[in-house]
């Protein structure tokens, strides 16, 4: 039970919750039970079936409705006197500006993506409102407290960036199943069913680019006089047969690798059209795309089963047929979606056939869907525990009890007997560009890079700004906003296409640019330094920002698979964003505090020689908990997928 | 694997958790039967967690009629007085739980934990008791141990900002992932009575003070014939006197159990909802592990105190 002081702090508080998903449902319930009277909740998502195993405020009949609104109604049923205000909206909308944030005593995050977390962090800093941040993956979770000037902000520590793979690994030398998935999803699926005008590296692996691209232009087009069955087989033979033969001709590639085996449809499937068992027709009865399924029309049911090469090949051909017959409207503008059954079937089959060719073990549809959709696994219990811990921290924040703020890790294996491990929060990082005024520095070729490159690759992608404004001294170079004059917009658009050194106010080595986001009330300075050359593989942006870091989920992976002299330079993003329907993207934030699964499972005191030893809170024990620098908590996440 | 496949509906609904514990564990969950006694806040949280996880059936026992106190940390009871209509706490919770997951059978049995016989208890794989007296805990635990098949037994209680879980899995075998291999592990658990009978002197170093404080309060409530959780500030002198006696008979220093901690627990026996969420979450996780036979289960006590934020496992077993 809460004490009197706690109760009065709770009753007087006005709380903003961001996210009504896995953590959000639990949090809203626990806040209401704990006596909170005024709760506002923002969530842009609608309810899906796969939410129902843990987002307990939702029922099957709510699928498709606003999470924030349904969560509100559900909690009001057992606590009718609480004031709950719901917003079915993106927290990044302009209506949720600094003034909006200023009305709250504390902000509680239950978000599922880095982007929104960074955005809320900045608004909390600008509005000077404390933030309690959280995340879960499987049995792991964490709660952290961010109070301006007292503890580090959410962005004081670098965050893992989404994993990317070198193009050559994907197009020519896959060594893991995930490489086959990325190939099937981002290249083959996109080529066959996506926007034809998009750049696509599907055919880059050839040693003779000219002939290969000639050949490639027509191969993926359905000819007027051929059946879809024939087309499907032609695509099959091209990507799994011909392309592999071409790759094999490049002998240097295979000196230290196992050679792939070309696979042709005639060797796998009988010559006559794939036999159907008559179930296909029932798909016509409905226009719901989720019911159009190659598995269903081939009479296959179990998504956990690993298909044979023949089954994969039949699914491959069948999926192409279904796309061209039942969903021809979609062909040409599809993007992969993990909730699109037919798309998942196609990608699974294509990835498996490729895996077979390269001697990589095949996977079930269930597993492939998890990898392709970047699905974060989630259970109710961890979310409930984390929500309880959020409320405990929120109450301390409301009482201004700074000495007792804690970041707490929820572990799968106990560390020094602890499953829930509180650690004292870190101080703000003095060189954090978000919460301190440290300038960033940017190396860029000022004679070739355009302002547009700077805006897209640095200001938006790296600094996470939505409404940027870029100034050079008193000169405005660029600005985004709803209330701009037409000629200003034209002026800015013209600037975007200009090379930096040719801007009206030229940006050259030594220039200090001031970049601001008016909504986030974040501003920072960038010291520009000219550099002629960039390493295409290591510095794919063609510019390097420092004073800002990102870490990769799998250190060293890219360098390991690089350097075999193949032609490509870009890196493919393996996945777009974290799964929006789930509750987390990062379990353990700062590098310093990454909990090593291995070390947390053993007696930590025996490993006290680590260089990094944040003190663990223990009144009667002076052992230190070792918080390892390794990232096996993240690896664990990878492994489970 | 037992060959039986999950239905399409199950695969869809449980997608995210199957990615955590696998289809095999999900099948075992769907065949497990769980009995809970004492529907307070932490147990309500626990029930929500395992119903969402998709256990086979859940049977509730709590004959109390709804009171202000029963409502305080329990989100399963709608506060509308018109709804109560003479229904017991278990019946009201049952209605809400059914709604959470139509694939789980939730039902109510009237009765007292002390009256359950072997015939009844043997239909369950997991038994959880809460707000029970010391005698009831011991008696249900002993009956569980005599059943023909292994039955997991848990107690759970929350007071003030603290919570305790006790686990008895008897002789328990399970699978554990070690690097890329799965290894078979085995643990042997003492009963509740055996555990609390271990001489305090023989305990491992630095056992959570909550263990001792809760044993004192448990004994106090038993001696005074109180219902569990029925204490107030006026009981503090009596509790402190009992603590002195217990410390003396265990030959440990009285400072072993801080008076301030006892005062908190005696004065404020009601539950704190965030602590219920934490304890109900840990208990849910443990029961899922025990049913699926996957992952290290905790042995054999768990403590959480919101004041220091630690969630600690204590192993209190008789010394070999």
């Amino acid at each position: 039970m809460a004490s009197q002081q706690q109760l009065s702090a709770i009753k007087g508080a006005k709380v903003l919750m961001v996210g009504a998903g896995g953590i959000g449902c639990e949090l809203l319930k626990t806040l209401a039970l704990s006596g909170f009277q005024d709760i506002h909740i923002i969530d842009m998502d609608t309810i899906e079936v796969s939410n129902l195993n843990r987002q307990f405020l939702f029922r099957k009949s709510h699928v498709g409705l606003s999470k924030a609104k349904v969560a509100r109604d559900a909690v009001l049923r057992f606590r009718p006197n609480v004031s709950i205000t719901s917003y079915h909206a993106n927290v990044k909308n302009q209506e949720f500006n600094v003034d909006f944030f200023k009305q709250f005593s504390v902000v509680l995050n239950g978000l599922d993506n880095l982007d929104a977390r960074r955005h809320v962090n900045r608004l909390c800093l600008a509005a000077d409102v404390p933030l309690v941040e959280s995340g879960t993956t499987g049995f792991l979770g964490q709660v952290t407290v961010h109070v301006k000037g007292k503890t580090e902000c959410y962005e004081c520590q670098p965050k893992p960036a989404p994993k990317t793979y070198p193009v050559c690994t994907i197009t020519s030398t896959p060594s893991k199943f995930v490489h086959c998935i990325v190939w099937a999803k981002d290249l083959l699926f996109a080529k066959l069913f996506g926007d034809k005008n998009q750049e696509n590296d599907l055919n880059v692996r050839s040693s003779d680019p000219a002939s290969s691209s000639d050949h490639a232009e027509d191969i993926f087009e359905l000819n007027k006089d051929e059946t879809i069955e024939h087309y499907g087989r032609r695509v099959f033979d091209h990507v799994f047969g011909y392309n592999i033969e071409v790759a094999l001709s490049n002998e240097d590639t295979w000196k230290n690798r196992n050679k792939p085996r070309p696979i042709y449809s005639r060797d796998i499937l009988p010559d006559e059209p794939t036999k159907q068992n008559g179930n296909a027709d029932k798909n016509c009865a409905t226009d719901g795309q989720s019911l159009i399924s190659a598995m269903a029309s081939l009479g296959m049911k179990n998504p956990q089963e690993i298909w044979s090469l023949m089954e994969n090949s039949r699914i491959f051909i069948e999926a192409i047929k279904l796309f061209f017959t039942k969903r021809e409207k979609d062909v040409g503008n599809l993007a992969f979606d993990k909730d699109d059954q037919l798309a998942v079937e196609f990608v699974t089959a294509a990835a498996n056939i490729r895996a077979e060719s390269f001697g990589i073990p095949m996977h079930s549809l269930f597993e492939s869907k998890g990898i392709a959709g970047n699905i974060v696994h989630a259970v109710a219990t961890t979310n409930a525990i984390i929500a309880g811990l959020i409320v405990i921290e929120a109450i301390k924040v409301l009482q201004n009890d700074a000495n007792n703020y804690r970041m707490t890790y929820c572990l799968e294996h106990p560390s020094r007997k602890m499953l829930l491990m509180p650690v004292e929060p870190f101080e703000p990082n003095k060189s954090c560009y978000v919460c301190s005024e440290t300038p960033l520095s940017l190396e860029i070729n000022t004679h070739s890079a355009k302002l547009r490159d700077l805006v897209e690759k640095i200001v938006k992608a790296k600094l996470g700004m939505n409404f940027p404004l870029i100034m050079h001294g008193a000169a405005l170079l660029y600005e985004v906003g709803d209330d701009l004059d037409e000629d200003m917009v034209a002026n800015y658009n013209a600037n975007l296409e200009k090379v930096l050194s040719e801007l009206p106010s030229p940006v050259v080595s030594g220039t200090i640019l001031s970049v601001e986001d008016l909504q986030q009330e974040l501003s920072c300075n960038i010291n520009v330094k000219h550099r002629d050359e960039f390493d295409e593989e290591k510095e794919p942006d063609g510019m390097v920002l420092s004073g800002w870091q990102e870490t990769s989920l799998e250190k060293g992976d890219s360098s390991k698979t690089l350097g075999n002299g193949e032609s490509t330079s870009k890196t493919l993003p393996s996945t777009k964003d974290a799964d929006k329907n789930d509750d987390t993207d990062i379990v353990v934030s700062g590098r310093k505090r990454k909990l090593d699964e291995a070390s947390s499972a053993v007696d930590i005191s025996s490993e006290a020689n680590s260089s990094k030893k944040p003190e663990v809170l223990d009144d009667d024990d002076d052992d230190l908990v070792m918080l390892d620098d390794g990232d096996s908590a993240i690896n664990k996440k990878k492994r489970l997928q | 694997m037992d060959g039986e496949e999950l239905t399409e509906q199950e695969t869809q609904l449980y997608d995210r958790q199957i990615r955590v514990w696998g289809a095999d564990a999900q099948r075992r969950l769907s065949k497990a039967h769980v009995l809970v006694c004492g529907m307070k806040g932490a147990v309500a949280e626990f029930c929500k967690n395992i119903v969402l996880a998709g256990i086979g059936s859940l049977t509730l026992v709590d004959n109390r009629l709804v009171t202000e106190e029963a409502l305080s940390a329990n989100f399963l009871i709608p506060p509308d007085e018109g709804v109560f209509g003479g229904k017991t706490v278990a019946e009201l919770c049952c209605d809400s739980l059914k709604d959470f997951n139509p694939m789980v059978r939730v039902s109510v049995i009237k009765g007292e934990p002390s009256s359950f016989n072997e015939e009844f208890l043997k239909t369950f794989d997991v038994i959880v008791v809460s707000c029970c007296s010391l005698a009831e805990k011991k008696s249900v635990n002993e009956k569980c141990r005599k059943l023909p098949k292994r039955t997991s037994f848990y107690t759970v209680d929350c007071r003030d900002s603290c919570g305790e879980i006790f686990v008895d899995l008897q002789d328990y075998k399970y699978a554990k992932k070690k690097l890329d291999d799965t290894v078979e592990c085995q643990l042997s658990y003492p009963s509740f009575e055996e555990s609390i009978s271990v001489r305090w002197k023989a305990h491992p170093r630095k056992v959570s003070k909550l263990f001792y404080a809760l044993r004192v309060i448990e004994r106090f409530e038993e001696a005074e014939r109180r219902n569990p959780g029925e204490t107030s500030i006026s009981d503090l002198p009596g509790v402190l006197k009992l603590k002195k006696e217990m410390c003396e008979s265990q030959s440990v220093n009285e400072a072993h159990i801080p008076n301030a901690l006892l005062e908190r627990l005696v004065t404020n026996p009601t539950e704190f909802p965030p602590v219920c969420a934490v304890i109900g979450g840990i208990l849910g996780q443990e029961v899922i592990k025990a049913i699926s036979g996957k992952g290290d289960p905790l042995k054999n006590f768990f403590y959480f105190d919101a004041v220091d934020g630690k969630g600690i496992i204590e192993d209190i077993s008789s010394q070999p």
Side-chain angles (χ1 to χ4, degrees):
Chain A
M1 196 45 210
S3 69
Q4 280 316 309
Q5 299 98 299
Q6 283 177 331
L7 275 179
S8 67
I10 290 170
K11 287 207 182 334
K14 185 169 182 178
V15 178
L16 176 64
M17 279 179 58
V18 190
I23 294 174
C25 281
E26 295 288 340
L27 183 56
L28 186 60
K29 170 259 301 165
T30 305
L31 285 172
L33 289 176
S34 303
F36 283 82
Q37 298 292 315
D38 191 358
I39 307 167
H40 292 238
I41 181 162
I42 304 177
D43 197 313
M44 66 188 285
D45 282 341
T46 54
I47 296 160
E48 294 182 34
V49 172
S50 63
N51 300 149
L52 303 180
N53 79 318
R54 63 197 184 286
Q55 302 179 14
F56 77 102
L57 298 173
F58 309 146
R59 304 286 168 268
K60 206 153 191 185
S61 59
H62 296 137
V63 169
L65 301 178
S66 153
K67 286 189 176 181
K69 192 177 173 312
V70 175
R72 170 186 180 272
D73 295 347
V75 168
L76 287 180
R77 247 176 281 133
F78 63 85
R79 283 294 179 275
N81 299 323
V82 181
S83 159
I84 305 176
T85 311
S86 64
Y87 308 83
H88 182 202
N90 188 337
V91 68
K92 288 168 83 174
N93 288 356
Q94 277 184 298
E95 57 187 296
F96 306 121
N97 56 16
V98 174
D99 282 337
F100 175 85
F101 273 71
K102 273 187 178 150
Q103 64 182 305
F104 298 103
S105 338
V106 63
V107 175
L108 312 177
N109 268 0
L111 280 164
D112 63 0
N113 66 89
L114 184 60
D115 210 31
R117 284 187 166 107
R118 291 170 73 184
H119 185 83
V120 173
N121 179 49
R122 291 163 188 199
L123 282 162
C124 286
L125 286 167
D128 200 6
V129 177
L131 168 66
V132 182
E133 171 63 73
S134 67
T136 65
T137 291
F139 294 120
L140 305 173
Q142 67 174 18
V143 174
T144 53
V145 185
H146 307 282
V147 182
K148 190 177 181 178
K150 290 185 179 147
T151 68
E152 62 178 6
C153 85
Y154 177 69
E155 294 176 87
C156 277
Q157 299 296 328
K159 300 287 177 283
K163 177 80 190 104
T164 59
Y165 301 96
V167 167
C168 53
T169 304
I170 302 305
T171 58
S172 314
T173 55
S175 56
K176 295 176 181 168
F177 188 67
V178 63
H179 302 150
C180 301
I181 288 281
V182 173
W183 175 86
K185 179 178 79 149
D186 292 350
L187 298 183
L188 187 60
F189 181 84
K191 186 85 192 170
L192 295 182
F193 310 116
D195 184 352
K196 293 274 187 286
N197 298 321
Q198 256 171 9
E199 225 182 302
N200 193 307
D201 289 307
L202 190 58
N203 281 298
V204 294
R205 91 286 66 112
S206 168
S207 51
D208 180 1
S211 75
S212 134
S213 60
D214 281 354
H215 186 61
E217 275 328 295
D218 45 50
I219 195 78
F220 296 108
E221 288 298 323
L222 174 63
N223 297 330
K224 283 202 182 87
D225 53 354
E226 73 180 333
T227 62
I228 298 163
E229 166 89 20
H230 183 266
Y231 167 71
R233 281 171 176 262
R234 202 157 52 74
V235 170
F236 186 110
D237 291 343
H238 180 77
V239 298
F240 300 119
Y242 172 81
N243 273 5
I244 299 293
E245 306 251 21
V246 174
L248 279 169
S249 66
N250 198 351
E251 281 184 19
D252 279 358
T253 312
W254 312 108
K255 272 186 185 150
N256 299 310
R257 289 189 175 88
N258 292 326
K259 288 184 180 178
R261 171 170 75 92
I263 298 174
Y264 289 94
S265 62
R266 61 172 179 271
D267 301 329
I268 309 298
L269 299 171
D271 270 343
E272 58 272 30
T274 30
K275 220 180 97 214
Q276 304 209 346
N277 66 358
N279 287 347
D281 285 348
K282 79 179 176 202
N283 292 323
C284 308
T286 167
D287 51 3
Q289 70 167 42
S290 63
L291 293 167
I292 299 174
S293 155
M295 276 176 80
S297 55
L298 297 173
M300 290 156 71
K301 285 207 180 81
N302 186 358
Q304 308 275 348
E305 196 173 75
I306 297 173
W307 302 327
S308 67
L309 179 57
M310 185 182 182
E311 285 169 321
N312 277 299
S313 307
R314 292 177 67 202
I315 292 277
F316 182 90
I317 303 283
E318 185 65 23
I320 291 179
K321 276 195 202 164
L322 289 172
F323 270 119
F324 279 93
T325 53
K326 300 285 195 295
R327 292 176 59 184
E328 63 263 61
K329 291 190 303 292
D330 296 341
V331 173
N333 46 38
L334 272 171
F336 177 80
D337 173 359
K338 67 171 173 28
D339 296 314
D340 179 341
Q341 172 72 16
L342 190 56
V344 173
E345 289 169 345
F346 174 81
V347 165
T348 301
N352 274 331
I353 301 166
R354 186 166 171 86
E356 174 72 12
S357 175
F358 282 86
I360 298 167
M362 300 205 271
H363 285 65
S364 70
L365 176 108
F366 178 82
E367 292 166 315
S368 303
K369 180 178 169 180
I371 300 166
N374 238 9
I375 295 176
V376 181
H377 23 257
V379 288
T381 49
T382 316
N383 289 336
I385 294 165
I386 289 300
L389 296 173
I390 294 172
V391 176
I392 290 166
E393 289 309 316
I395 294 171
K396 291 182 205 165
V397 166
L398 293 172
Q399 296 180 287
N400 215 353
D401 186 8
N403 291 334
N404 287 310
Y405 295 164
R406 296 293 178 262
M407 40 190 197
T408 307
Y409 296 102
C410 180
L411 309 174
E412 186 172 0
H413 305 290
S415 167
R416 298 172 75 246
K417 303 198 299 191
M418 279 184 273
L419 274 180
L420 301 175
M421 187 163 83
V423 180
E424 217 165 304
F426 284 68
E427 288 187 354
N429 175 357
K430 291 195 180 65
S431 61
C432 172
Y433 78 92
V434 178
C435 71
S436 81
E437 275 156 25
T438 312
L440 297 157
S441 59
L442 176 69
E443 290 181 285
I444 190 166
N445 188 330
T446 53
H447 303 308
S448 65
K450 291 178 180 167
L451 182 62
R452 177 183 295 285
D453 299 325
L454 178 75
V455 170
E456 295 299 331
K457 292 175 179 168
I458 300 295
V459 179
K460 288 189 177 165
K462 296 257 197 283
L463 303 183
M465 291 185 177
N466 297 318
F467 295 96
L469 178 151
I470 302 174
M471 291 181 70
H472 178 198
L476 249 172
L477 297 177
Y478 182 69
E479 186 180 8
V480 177
D482 297 334
D483 49 354
L484 302 177
D485 293 343
E486 265 177 47
D487 41 328
M488 286 171 81
V489 173
N491 189 19
Y492 293 141
N493 283 339
N495 280 351
L496 279 180
E497 301 313 322
K498 286 183 183 149
V499 167
L500 294 179
S501 59
E502 289 161 15
L503 282 162
S505 170
V507 173
V508 294
S509 215
T511 297
I512 299 175
L513 286 176
S514 159
V515 184
E516 248 183 283
D517 185 303
L518 297 177
Q519 189 197 5
Q520 298 174 346
E521 292 199 8
L522 170 67
S523 71
C524 57
N525 288 329
I526 301 179
N527 298 333
V528 176
K529 197 177 161 209
H530 171 80
R531 193 169 119 196
D532 283 326
E533 302 280 337
F534 291 88
D535 183 318
E536 288 188 339
E537 287 283 3
K538 288 183 188 144
E539 299 157 340
D541 287 336
M543 53 189 85
V544 177
L545 185 69
S546 47
W548 180 90
Q549 303 163 344
E550 60 185 350
T551 50
S552 175
L553 283 175
E554 275 183 348
K555 284 187 218 161
D557 184 272
S558 56
S559 55
K560 202 163 57 202
T561 46
L562 270 182
N564 53 351
E566 263 137 0
S567 56
T568 55
S569 60
K570 291 179 298 172
T571 51
L572 288 170
S574 66
T575 43
K576 299 226 161 52
D577 216 343
D579 177 346
K580 294 278 191 238
N581 309 311
D582 270 284
D583 318 308
T584 177
D585 62 349
I586 291 154
V587 169
V588 181
S589 60
R591 271 195 306 195
K592 278 187 227 162
R593 284 143 301 149
K594 237 163 246 167
L595 289 162
D596 189 311
E597 284 272 326
S599 72
S600 59
V602 300
D603 181 13
I604 296 291
S605 53
S606 64
E607 302 186 38
N609 56 352
S610 160
S611 56
K612 284 164 183 149
K613 302 176 214 168
E615 200 156 340
V616 132
L617 304 149
D618 202 337
D619 30 292
D620 52 4
D621 198 325
D622 50 10
D623 292 347
L624 294 174
V625 156
M626 190 194 73
L627 295 154
D628 199 280
D629 207 8
D631 44 0
S632 38
I634 302 280
N635 287 342
K636 174 76 180 171
K637 177 174 155 184
K638 293 237 87 149
R639 199 162 65 232
L640 284 168
Q641 286 176 343
Chain B
M1 305 238 185
D2 2 303
E4 237 176 281
E5 283 173 22
L6 294 169
T7 64
E8 215 168 304
Q9 191 189 10
E10 285 172 316
T11 312
Q12 222 188 355
L13 176 64
Y14 301 132
D15 183 283
R16 297 304 188 269
Q17 65 197 40
I18 294 173
R19 293 179 193 281
V20 178
W21 52 59
D24 193 29
Q26 190 64 48
R27 273 190 292 270
R28 289 189 205 178
L29 279 175
S30 69
K31 287 178 192 150
H33 306 290
V34 179
L35 173 72
V36 299
C37 310
M39 297 296 302
K40 284 172 72 172
V43 174
E45 288 278 350
F46 164 73
C47 290
K48 169 207 70 190
N49 294 335
I50 58 164
V51 166
L52 291 173
I55 51 152
S57 79
L58 174 64
T59 305
L60 313 176
V61 181
D62 194 327
N63 303 332
R64 290 176 302 156
L65 293 175
V66 176
T67 60
E68 195 69 20
E69 195 265 324
L71 273 173
S72 70
N74 192 332
F75 56 92
L76 299 175
I77 307 174
D80 179 1
E81 278 169 53
V83 173
F84 301 160
K87 283 190 175 178
T88 63
V89 171
E91 285 165 335
L92 287 166
C93 291
C94 179
D95 294 342
S96 298
L97 287 167
K98 274 182 182 162
D99 201 31
F100 286 172
N101 187 350
M103 288 196 260
V104 177
R105 295 185 299 284
V106 189
S107 60
V108 174
I109 295 275
K110 291 215 170 164
E112 298 291 338
S114 52
S115 66
F116 296 147
N117 59 27
E118 201 178 292
E119 276 310 297
F120 174 71
L121 291 176
K122 79 175 186 200
T123 56
F124 298 99
D125 304 288
V126 173
I127 295 173
V128 176
V129 301
S130 182
C131 16
C132 285
S133 67
L134 180 55
E136 284 173 319
K137 286 185 199 173
K138 288 182 192 168
S139 122
V140 177
N141 190 191
E142 286 316 313
K143 285 178 195 166
C144 282
R145 297 195 137 235
K146 290 189 186 118
L147 297 176
K149 67 166 188 189
R150 197 184 62 80
T151 305
S152 308
F153 172 82
Y154 300 83
T155 75
V156 58
D157 283 291
C158 293
R159 321 170 63 111
D160 191 65
S161 59
C162 306
E164 177 186 66
I165 297 171
F166 165 77
V167 184
D168 176 12
L169 303 182
Q170 302 174 37
D171 286 317
Y172 176 69
K173 288 200 183 79
Y174 65 102
K176 178 182 174 174
K177 279 243 161 95
K178 213 170 190 179
L179 300 173
D180 281 338
D181 278 345
T182 305
V183 290
E184 179 104 322
C185 299
Q186 192 168 355
L187 282 175
S188 196
Y189 285 75
S191 70
F192 185 69
E193 180 152 27
E194 284 163 354
S195 252
I196 61 169
S197 308
V198 177
R199 294 286 297 169
W200 291 1
K201 274 283 188 199
H203 281 178
R205 237 173 104 242
K206 286 177 190 160
V207 166
S208 168
K209 300 195 178 340
L210 273 171
F211 173 86
Y212 303 103
L214 289 168
R215 300 290 78 77
V216 173
I217 290 174
E218 196 173 69
R219 281 276 288 277
F220 178 83
E221 286 175 343
E222 181 171 63
E224 299 282 314
R225 296 177 183 284
R226 303 283 179 81
N227 287 323
E230 228 177 53
T231 56
S232 68
I233 186 73
S234 60
D235 294 319
L236 189 60
V239 169
L240 293 180
K241 183 165 164 276
L242 180 60
K243 165 190 121 168
K244 195 161 180 275
E245 288 167 20
M246 288 172 75
C247 287
E248 274 165 12
S249 79
Q250 295 276 2
S251 9
V252 298
N253 191 315
E254 255 195 83
H256 219 64
I257 315 176
N259 288 353
L261 177 59
L262 284 168
E263 184 177 338
R264 261 169 65 198
L265 296 169
V266 168
T267 316
N268 227 335
T270 48
E271 300 175 289
F272 183 38
V275 174
C276 294
V278 171
I279 289 287
I282 297 280
L283 180 60
Q285 227 147 279
E286 287 306 315
V287 166
I288 289 164
K289 280 190 217 165
I291 293 171
S292 61
K294 273 191 176 174
D296 289 316
L298 71 81
K299 180 170 182 274
N300 55 349
F301 284 90
F302 178 81
Y303 291 95
F304 178 72
D305 186 350
V307 168
D308 63 17
K310 287 188 221 172
I312 302 180
I313 297 171
E314 298 291 357
D315 185 353
I316 301 176
S317 313
S318 36
Q319 301 302 305

